[in-house]
Amino acid sequence: MTLEVSSCDGIKMLMTHPTAKSMKRLTRMSITKCPMIQEIIVCEGQDVKEVITFDELKVLQLGDLQNLLSFCSGSSIVFQFPSLGKVVVSRCPSMRSFSQQKVVAPKLKGVHIDKEDEGRWDGNFENTIQQIFREK
């Protein structure tokens, strides 16, 4: 199952955390050319403590998202990506972090800043995202 969102000018967030939790069979997520998006997954309520697992997600692509601040800014949501092998984050100049909590992605060994890039890895997923965008 694939989720592909492209060229949407009016949305600031893509989905709520209950919707994200229901996407167990998602294998590929690509969000591109949506200049207004600030967050992919929004956390409803301050006290939500959740683990969101994308069991089958293998590829995550975020590109041309000028206002994207983070994948999810919810301070109590832990993400698990047991199958994630490729992440491409390109032309997201406002992004400062992926998530405020732990991200578990045991198969991921690099974050690419374009499709041909060899990938960067600074110990873990969140550190790598932060390092990439500190350098920009």
Side-chain angles (χ1 to χ4, degrees):
M1 188 159 103
T2 296
L3 173 64
E4 190 165 328
V5 179
S6 185
S7 303
C8 349
D9 293 333
I11 62 173
K12 290 190 177 184
M13 67 88 175
L14 187 61
M15 67 184 87
T16 62
H17 73 277
T19 301
K21 281 189 77 147
S22 72
M23 297 189 158
K24 298 277 185 201
R25 295 181 44 218
L26 191 66
T27 59
R28 183 175 182 276
M29 182 186 300
S30 175
I31 317 299
T32 59
K33 299 177 186 170
C34 299
M36 299 304 292
I37 282 187
Q38 296 176 345
E39 192 169 17
I40 305 301
I41 299 171
V42 69
C43 180
E44 297 175 326
Q46 299 294 349
D47 296 330
V48 175
K49 292 186 179 6
E50 297 277 354
V51 174
I52 297 177
T53 303
F54 289 95
D55 289 313
E56 298 181 31
L57 190 69
K58 292 177 176 36
V59 177
L60 173 62
Q61 179 181 357
L62 305 172
D64 293 312
L65 305 172
Q66 290 83 356
N67 287 304
L68 182 68
L69 301 173
S70 67
F71 186 78
C72 178
S73 63
S75 61
S76 58
I77 295 182
V78 173
F79 286 95
Q80 296 181 344
F81 300 97
S83 302
L84 190 61
K86 184 168 187 176
V87 173
V88 179
V89 180
S90 61
R91 295 177 301 281
C92 300
S94 299
M95 190 172 189
R96 297 294 173 256
S97 68
F98 187 82
S99 170
Q100 290 187 26
Q101 283 294 325
K102 185 176 182 180
V103 175
V104 178
K107 292 185 178 180
L108 187 63
K109 299 299 178 213
V111 175
H112 304 266
I113 55 174
D114 63 46
K115 290 180 182 176
E116 277 74 51
D117 177 53
E118 291 181 18
R120 296 272 313 267
W121 194 247
D122 290 334
N124 68 47
F125 192 22
E126 183 61 31
N127 288 351
T128 303
I129 292 289
Q130 289 178 0
Q131 183 64 30
I132 287 169
F133 290 99
R134 252 194 309 271
E135 291 172 2
K136 290 195 177 275

